[in-house]
Amino acid sequence: MSNILFVGPQGSGKGTQAKRVAAVEGIPHISTGDIFRAAIAEQTPLGREVQPFLDSGSLVPDELTIGLIRERLQQPDTVTGFVLDGFPRNMAQAGALDEMLDAIDRPLDIVFEFALSDELALERCLGRAIEEGRTDDTPEMIARRLGTYHEQTEPIVQHYRAAGRLVVIHAERSIDEVNAELSAALAQATA
Ligand code: AMP
């Protein structure tokens, strides 16, 4: 059983790795970004509510995001573990998650921080925007999301470092190299 958290900026490859680890471990991959994008594509009430935040590159309000995760973690498929990707994104969300997991007595086993330079994160995001024809992903938007990451999300890394569950992953390397490092760290953590 593994309760795993992935933290890292856009362009760090975090989402790709989170999906892989979830598939290998046979546990759900829970990505708030994916949930929001799917809701927007389907034009559900949630989608309509969150679209302006995604469009402007700012965070969706905590109340909504925390409620969404609270419900998701109550689904039976999370009992054997989960990979959380993109949540928590700030200290308020991290505090809420700690409380939720305490209440069900299922603490996080491991927190992976994907570390890479802003230059490389920007370069990868721009490359992807061009490849996928995402005209909304301008250099300004990408830089703004990186700024939000440093200001709001990085403090949660310190929080988990203090709790002794943090493993830093050098995310500048290839997908396969990063994946090998993750697998080794997981095997050690759950041995
Ligand atoms: P991501 O795919 O994780 O980069 O998320 C895409 C967008 O969804 C972000 O830029 C935010 O607008 C929103 N989002 C995703 N996760 C969260 C979260 N935990 N809290 C607030 N907003 C979020």
Side-chain angles (χ1 to χ4, degrees), residues 10 14 31-34 36-37 50 53-55 57-62 65 85-90 93 145:
Q10 277 204 331
K14 166 180 71 79
S31 154
T32 36
D34 283 357
F36 292 145
R37 276 184 293 274
V50 302
F53 299 100
L54 274 87
D55 283 351
S58 47
L59 293 185
V60 170
D62 286 342
T65 311
D85 167 14
F87 180 96
R89 270 292 221 285
N90 59 26
Q93 295 181 8
R145 286 197 301 262

Side-chain angles (χ1 to χ4, degrees), residues 103-135:
I104 51 178
D105 201 19
R106 281 157 49 195
L108 289 171
D109 295 302
I110 192 161
V111 177
F112 289 116
E113 180 199 11
F114 279 53
L116 86 168
S117 67
D118 279 4
E119 289 72 26
L120 189 57
L122 199 66
E123 196 180 296
R124 284 186 181 172
C125 287
L126 277 175
R128 195 163 57 189
I130 293 165
E131 228 170 74
E132 296 173 7
R134 285 172 58 170
T135 48

Side-chain angles (χ1 to χ4, degrees), residues 16-123:
T16 306
Q17 299 292 349
K19 279 192 197 100
R20 275 199 189 189
V21 167
V24 169
E25 299 277 317
I27 52 181
H29 169 233
I30 303 175
S31 154
T32 36
D34 283 357
I35 294 170
F36 292 145
R37 276 184 293 274
I40 290 171
E42 288 165 26
Q43 282 290 299
T44 64
L46 172 70
R48 281 194 287 275
E49 198 172 347
V50 302
Q51 182 152 25
F53 299 100
L54 274 87
D55 283 351
S56 65
S58 47
L59 293 185
V60 170
D62 286 342
E63 208 180 75
L64 203 161
T65 311
I66 290 167
L68 189 83
I69 288 294
R70 181 171 283 119
E71 268 179 34
R72 185 63 188 87
L73 288 177
Q74 279 164 6
Q75 302 299 312
D77 64 340
T78 63
V79 169
T80 52
F82 51 81
V83 174
L84 264 183
D85 167 14
F87 180 96
R89 270 292 221 285
N90 59 26
M91 283 305 285
Q93 295 181 8
L97 179 66
D98 284 351
E99 272 173 32
M100 275 179 232
L101 296 180
D102 271 356
I104 51 178
D105 201 19
R106 281 157 49 195
L108 289 171
D109 295 302
I110 192 161
V111 177
F112 289 116
E113 180 199 11
F114 279 53
L116 86 168
S117 67
D118 279 4
E119 289 72 26
L120 189 57
L122 199 66
E123 196 180 296

